[in-house]
Amino acid sequence: MTTLDALPLRDRPGTRLSGSCDLDTRQDLKAALGAVVRIPGPVVHLDLSAVTFLDPTAVAALVGASAALRGEGRRLLLHDPPYSLRKVVEMFPDECAALEVAA
């Protein structure tokens, strides 16, 4: 069974996810993103450098969280996304347009 952990970032408002975002961790991701959208500030950071995999449902959850923040005039900024996320964004650019990746 895979795991997903979420820890607050120390240097900026946001969260660091580690593990895999798939069927086994779907509820953990939902809880983590629920907490992320409640973090105050104009920009919320989501560090994905320790995420090994995101399935399409996880990518859709990220799009939903990003859209929720955007609806409040805020931004969700993704850092170091794994290959699986970049591939889904490449395949579905319109559906993933709400995602913003840090340069």
Side-chain angles (χ1 to χ4, degrees):
M1 180 154 172
T2 57
T3 62
L4 179 68
D5 295 311
L7 295 171
L9 294 175
R10 295 173 188 234
D11 59 342
R12 57 193 164 204
T15 299
R16 179 177 191 263
L17 297 179
S18 62
S20 183
C21 300
D22 55 29
L23 181 62
D24 290 337
T25 60
R26 194 157 291 153
Q27 292 304 315
D28 296 331
L29 178 62
K30 182 179 178 183
L33 292 177
V36 164
V37 298
R38 290 190 303 273
I39 295 171
V43 179
V44 179
H45 300 269
L46 189 58
D47 181 347
L48 301 173
S49 62
V51 172
T52 55
F53 178 76
L54 286 121
D55 70 10
T57 302
V59 175
L62 287 176
V63 169
S66 182
L69 285 173
R70 187 170 285 173
E72 299 174 0
R74 304 186 313 136
R75 297 168 47 211
L76 178 63
L77 191 56
L78 307 178
H79 296 269
D80 300 314
Y83 175 79
S84 54
L85 174 60
R86 293 191 310 267
K87 200 65 182 163
V88 171
V89 170
E90 195 177 283
M91 292 181 345
F92 302 100
D94 294 339
E95 292 83 352
C96 296
L99 296 179
E100 184 179 355
V101 177

